[in-house]
Amino acid sequence: MRKYFKKLLEPIQLPKDQSKLLITFWSGALWGLLILVGIITFFSGFILRTGIPKIIIGLVTLMLGVLLFWIFRLLTAWFYKGILRIPSFVFSLTIGAFLTILIAKEFRFRLPDVLFYPGLPVIILCIVLFFGSSWVLIKRVSTSLWFYRIAVLISFITLFAIAFFLIQDGSDPFPIEFEAAPVGLLSTKGIKNPGEKGVYSYSNFTYGTGTDRRREEFGKGVSYRSPTVDASLLLPEWKGSKAKWRELFWGFGVTEFPLNGRVWIPKGDGKFPIVFMVHGNHSMEEFSDSGYSYLGELLASRGFVLVSVDDNFLNGTWSGDFMGKEMAARAWLLLKHIELWKNWNTDSSSSFYNKIDIENIIVAGHSRGGEAAPIAAQYNNLAYFPDDANMKFDFHFGIKGVVAIAPTDKRYPRRIHLKNISYLSLQGSYDSDEASFFGFRQYQRVKFTDSSFYLKSGLYVHRANHGQFNSTWGKLDAGPPTSWFLNIKPLVSLAEQQQIAKVFVSAFAESVLHKDLTYLDIFKNSASAANWLPNAILLNTYSDSKTHYIANFEEDIDITTGSIENISLHGNELAVWREETLTYRDKDTQGNNAVVLGWDKTQDSIKRVPEFRLSFLKPIDLKSINAIFISMALGNPLDLKNEKRKTNTNKEKDDPINFSIQLEDSLGHKVKIELTSIKKLAPRLKVQFEKLNLLQESYGSIWEPTFETLEIPLSRDSKSLKNIKHIRFMFDLSPSGIVILDDIGLERISTKSKID
């Protein structure tokens, strides 16, 4: 190797001692760059999940990487030889390393360009200085070593600082001190925690084809055999290299998808309601279906069957994924699992004969599974597959509810509008995979039209992420190297996040399948379950079939009209009054219109209390309603356009907002209710997904409007009114502020009572 270096140095006339020094330095640098290339190409190989041990694949890609390194090194040496008056191997080593790593980046070792291109030269420079100078110091080929000692020290400190930064969890730049307004706890009424195990013992087993080559639990380890199904009409994208690799890995194709599932089932007699849970898009070789055992064990102990559906063969792999085009297949497979259980339930020779209450079903999902669940609920009522009518549907199962955990939305090109079915969606504010509450869009698309009782609820969990709803996914919502830059310091723990999911999913199952409506207060205000939940900020949105909207701001562009003919809207002394379509942090639509109201009593022009008023042309009889529901969110203080207050808009702690809600009847009698006596509005929930601010920009804003529902029960004071003529939002208690109002509704005595 030394002879080769000397040959490359021939065109340059250098003193012998300096030539020896350069050769020694760059010999050391060579080893450093080889180690760097080796590490990156070794870990890049981990993405090739072929079933062969990762260590072997990593060693293969390491050797390929080193080979590429030397090829590039020789090519660049030839290119630069004789052109520049410095040794060509200086370029050949560094450019060879850079090009090799660049190929690794394009293959799978992906980092944002804004980080990769300025960062890689720094890493290469530090590696060169550290290993080159270390080699000089070890060989002692120079009489003056102070420069090399300093180079080693500086490069080591820089590399150590980078490594230390990467292994840190991040920071918590937006701490919040917030306590919800106290409300009556459900436990004081004798209601038991739905997140605690019930009285049933249960068993756990798997069913499947019995021939799975990758997973023993769905191969020889199955307790019950299930058939395969042909999904070719639902997934025509199963073709080409994606199909070939998947078929090589799994041993089956689109015409013979398995029906594999994990089951937790109560022991004992009786028909048990059943919940079908499907995972989302994770690496198909890192199986996801076992990650909901915490829900399976809980629900089974409370008298429900839970089936965790295996869709891993539809998930992404090193060669790519279907980019959402498999959503129809995910939904259809859910229904085929229900069909399988229906057949078992009606087969007198089956172990599950008359064991399942097949008319009481919840379909649930996480991530892409959270979008597949409502699609399945809609497919359940169709006669044909809407994307190819050659596929006939004949399901019509008793699906009573849908649960969507951190769901995607719009992966499937058709918007799903659900009718007369209950719905629950959960979302974490620190979800760096689905960075907005996309389940809220589906929440808006759930309507109730008949006289039965249904509910819909959204829960926004501050500091929850995407992955911890699945035990196998964990804290990191992406794989390396992207995961190295995720800010996970603010996250709630796995146990805390799953406890929240257990309480709300179980309460939903109890309400929808067991018809136990004592848990409804959890969905209206999570503070009613504060002693069952970890200390986290939880925002609830809620509506049910007894709620009649009088103003949801969807009907037209006239800001003075409401959702019924018997109402008009007015504003006085408001600094901001407009209706708009709300957007998420990335400016994508929330699929929802609302009214934005701002006031600033510090302005000299304000003569009376700013207010927003809803007036009924024909007063509403109080005997027909129980409560008033209003959805609220804090708005952007910049909208106030107050120069004196602009300096405060970026501070970490928002000023608390308080105002009065006044009811007035046709005789002029009034009842005033202070907002904070019912519920404190949470401050704007700001997040930082990445450790570096320059990467945060790809997500959009650090906050987005997120609603919480306010229930105003009609108390004795309210009942003293003859009727309701006006509902006033009187901004009299905070000097300034901006709020967003939506879904103002009246809760009827029953689903059959009318509000004109």
Side-chain angles (χ1 to χ4, degrees):
M1 185 179 293
R2 294 177 64 87
K3 291 180 179 180
Y4 180 71
F5 283 132
K6 287 181 179 180
K7 186 177 181 181
L8 289 176
L9 286 170
E10 285 178 359
I12 303 172
Q13 299 299 319
L14 294 173
K16 289 185 178 180
D17 59 337
Q18 191 171 352
S19 299
K20 184 178 181 181
L21 175 64
L22 283 172
I23 292 173
T24 304
F25 179 92
W26 284 100
S27 296
L30 166 65
W31 288 110
L33 292 174
L34 276 175
I35 291 172
L36 176 64
V37 167
I39 290 172
I40 290 178
T41 54
F42 177 77
F43 283 105
S44 295
F46 278 23
I47 198 66
L48 292 168
R49 292 177 292 272
T50 60
I52 298 173
K54 287 184 178 181
I55 187 69
I56 296 177
I57 296 296
L59 290 173
V60 171
T61 54
L62 184 153
M63 289 186 289
L64 290 174
V66 171
L67 177 62
L68 281 173
F69 173 83
W70 278 106
I71 290 173
F72 288 131
R73 179 254 184 278
L74 294 173
L75 287 175
T76 50
W78 174 81
F79 181 77
Y80 281 101
K81 184 176 181 180
I83 298 177
L84 301 176
R85 297 296 297 168
I86 56 177
S88 60
F89 64 79
V90 172
F91 286 97
S92 65
L93 287 174
T94 54
I95 299 302
F98 183 86
L99 291 177
T100 305
I101 296 169
L102 185 64
I103 287 180
K105 173 184 180 292
E106 294 304 315
F107 173 65
R108 204 66 187 186
F109 196 81
R110 294 171 184 165
L111 283 175
D113 290 349
V114 69
L115 194 64
F116 180 82
Y117 289 108
L120 184 60
V122 172
I123 297 292
I124 289 178
L125 176 61
C126 289
I127 291 290
V128 166
L129 286 175
F130 180 77
F131 282 92
S133 298
S134 297
W135 210 244
V136 169
L137 293 174
I138 292 171
K139 297 294 184 179
R140 295 191 174 273
V141 295
S142 174
T143 57
S144 178
L145 299 176
W146 64 267
F147 170 81
Y148 302 99
R149 291 190 178 102
I150 293 174
V152 167
L153 180 63
I154 293 175
S155 58
F156 174 79
I157 291 173
T158 303
L159 291 172
F160 179 82
I162 293 172
F164 184 78
F165 170 79
L166 293 178
I167 65 174
Q168 294 301 299
D169 288 344
S171 63
D172 188 2
F174 306 116
I176 294 179
E177 293 181 5
F178 175 76
E179 289 187 10
V183 298
L185 295 173
L186 289 174
S187 59
T188 63
K189 302 176 183 178
I191 299 172
K192 295 182 178 180
N193 182 357
E196 291 184 351
K197 287 189 176 181
V199 299
Y200 288 91
S201 58
Y202 55 88
S203 58
N204 173 223
F205 58 85
T206 60
Y207 64 87
T209 60
T211 59
D212 195 301
R213 67 161 63 169
R214 294 291 173 183
R215 310 185 66 188
E216 184 178 353
E217 61 266 44
F218 298 130
K220 296 179 181 180
V222 296
S223 299
Y224 301 93
R225 294 293 182 100
S226 60
T228 61
V229 293
D230 183 352
S232 54
L233 292 180
L234 292 106
L235 189 57
E237 289 76 17
W238 187 283
K239 59 185 177 183
S241 59
K242 290 181 182 179
K244 289 179 181 178
W245 167 244
R246 290 169 188 272
E247 290 168 9
L248 179 65
F249 184 87
W250 292 108
F252 58 79
V254 70
T255 61
E256 47 188 8
F257 278 172
L259 296 178
N260 296 335
R262 296 177 180 271
V263 182
W264 291 263
I265 187 169
K267 294 180 180 179
D269 298 330
K271 290 189 174 183
F272 298 108
I274 188 166
V275 179
F276 290 85
M277 180 77 193
V278 62
H279 58 79
N281 187 51
H282 196 64
S283 297
M284 76 174 191
E285 301 88 351
E286 296 173 358
F287 315 123
S288 302
D289 51 280
S290 64
Y292 309 105
S293 60
Y294 70 100
L295 289 176
E297 293 168 358
L298 171 67
L299 293 179
S301 74
R302 300 184 68 87
F304 306 96
V305 180
L306 186 132
V307 178
S308 181
V309 171
D310 165 33
D311 276 357
N312 286 285
F313 45 87
L314 289 176
N315 280 359
T317 182
W318 64 270
S319 61
D321 66 40
F322 293 109
M323 304 301 291
K325 293 181 179 179
E326 84 289 354
M327 294 304 304
R330 290 181 188 271
W332 178 76
L333 282 168
L334 262 176
L335 295 170
K336 296 303 285 185
H337 277 266
I338 300 175
E339 183 179 71
L340 174 66
W341 278 86
K342 181 181 179 180
N343 292 337
W344 281 342
N345 193 58
T346 55
D347 183 356
S348 59
S349 64
S350 167
S351 301
F352 307 109
Y353 178 62
N354 278 340
K355 191 82 171 176
I356 308 301
D357 185 356
I358 207 67
E359 293 303 315
N360 272 306
I361 300 170
I362 286 176
V363 287
H366 178 198
S367 193
R368 290 193 195 181
E371 185 176 356
I375 298 172
Q378 182 120 40
Y379 282 0
N380 186 52
N381 301 316
L382 302 181
Y384 298 94
F385 175 39
D387 301 334
D388 187 345
N390 289 306
M391 168 71 80
K392 293 183 178 181
F393 288 166
D394 185 19
F395 298 116
H396 305 289
F397 304 127
I399 299 177
K400 296 297 192 296
V402 174
V403 176
I405 300 175
T408 60
D409 190 58
K410 299 203 300 189
R411 290 291 199 285
Y412 186 56
R414 299 175 183 271
R415 302 284 67 76
I416 301 302
H417 295 267
L418 298 178
K419 186 168 64 174
N420 298 330
I421 193 170
S422 292
Y423 178 80
L424 170 67
S425 186
L426 286 71
Q427 177 70 37
S429 67
Y430 266 83
D431 187 329
S432 58
D433 186 47
E434 300 299 320
S436 293
F437 195 173
F438 297 124
F440 184 69
R441 281 199 292 229
Q442 182 62 70
Y443 174 97
Q444 297 293 322
R445 302 194 299 264
V446 178
K447 305 299 180 185
F448 309 133
T449 61
D450 65 25
S451 60
S452 299
F453 180 79
Y454 311 97
L455 70 96
K456 59 178 180 178
S457 177
L459 182 71
Y460 193 71
V461 184
H462 191 38
R463 302 181 184 275
N465 76 333
H466 192 75
Q468 289 187 135
F469 287 116
N470 183 305
S471 299
T472 63
W473 293 6
K475 278 193 170 184
L476 300 176
D477 289 346
T482 304
S483 61
W484 300 344
F485 298 90
L486 289 178
N487 183 29
I488 61 174
K489 176 72 172 180
L491 297 186
V492 298
S493 69
L494 174 72
E496 290 173 326
Q497 187 164 328
Q498 293 189 353
Q499 177 63 18
I500 293 169
K502 287 195 290 186
V503 168
F504 278 86
V505 173
S506 177
F508 184 77
E510 294 284 359
S511 301
V512 174
L513 300 182
H514 281 166
K515 308 296 188 295
D516 184 356
L517 302 186
T518 59
Y519 289 110
L520 290 185
D521 283 349
I522 291 179
F523 306 112
K524 298 175 183 178
N525 189 344
S526 59
S528 65
N531 57 331
W532 300 338
L533 296 165
N535 184 22
I537 298 178
L538 306 176
L539 306 188
N540 301 89
T541 49
Y542 175 83
S543 180
D544 59 40
S545 52
K546 294 194 294 183
T547 305
H548 184 86
Y549 292 126
I550 57 177
N552 62 11
F553 312 101
E554 304 288 345
E555 59 283 331
D556 54 40
I557 62 172
D558 186 347
I559 62 173
T560 67
T561 60
S563 303
I564 59 176
E565 294 182 359
N566 184 36
I567 197 170
S568 60
L569 313 180
H570 308 275
N572 293 312
E573 302 285 3
L574 293 170
V576 178
W577 176 22
R578 68 172 183 268
E579 292 182 12
E580 66 178 32
T581 300
L582 300 179
T583 60
Y584 290 119
R585 66 179 77 253
D586 63 354
K587 304 306 178 184
D588 191 11
T589 179
Q590 290 194 19
N592 180 44
N593 290 351
V595 64
V596 183
L597 305 172
W599 70 96
D600 190 350
K601 294 188 293 182
T602 65
Q603 299 294 312
D604 295 335
S605 60
I606 301 298
K607 304 301 183 185
R608 54 179 177 165
V609 174
E611 72 169 24
F612 178 67
R613 183 175 78 252
L614 290 77
S615 297
F616 297 95
L617 304 178
K618 179 182 177 183
I620 299 295
D621 187 356
L622 279 172
K623 295 179 181 179
S624 64
I625 60 176
N626 279 327
I628 300 172
F629 281 94
I630 307 160
S631 290
M632 297 186 187
L634 289 184
N636 189 347
L638 282 174
D639 284 352
L640 289 177
K641 301 178 182 178
N642 185 334
E643 294 298 329
K644 294 180 181 179
R645 299 182 59 83
K646 276 189 178 181
T647 56
N648 295 327
T649 56
N650 292 323
K651 63 183 179 179
E652 295 181 359
K653 187 176 181 181
D654 291 320
D655 292 330
I657 294 294
N658 195 16
F659 55 84
S660 299
I661 301 169
Q662 185 184 84
L663 308 181
E664 181 179 345
D665 67 12
S666 56
L667 298 178
H669 300 144
K670 302 172 183 177
V671 173
K672 185 183 287 189
I673 304 164
E674 187 175 333
L675 172 66
T676 55
S677 68
I678 302 171
K679 194 172 191 178
K680 293 181 182 178
L681 284 183
R684 292 183 300 152
L685 301 180
K686 303 172 187 178
V687 299
Q688 182 170 317
F689 294 108
E690 303 280 352
K691 297 176 188 177
L692 296 173
N693 285 330
L694 61 89
L695 299 179
Q696 175 72 20
E697 294 177 1
S698 63
Y699 294 93
S701 175
I702 60 175
W703 77 282
E704 60 189 10
T706 307
F707 283 105
E708 48 186 320
T709 298
L710 172 71
E711 179 188 17
I712 306 175
L714 297 180
S715 62
R716 291 181 180 179
D717 291 339
S718 303
K719 291 294 186 180
S720 67
L721 300 176
K722 181 179 179 181
N723 49 46
I724 298 180
K725 177 67 175 178
H726 304 288
I727 301 175
R728 287 187 172 89
F729 297 87
M730 304 182 67
F731 303 110
D732 53 350
L733 300 176
S734 295
S736 65
I738 188 158
V739 295
I740 306 170
L741 302 185
D742 194 18
D743 291 343
I744 303 173
L746 306 178
E747 184 186 52
R748 298 168 288 179
I749 298 295
S750 71
T751 56
K752 297 180 181 180
S753 61
K754 296 182 178 180
I755 295 176
D756 297 323

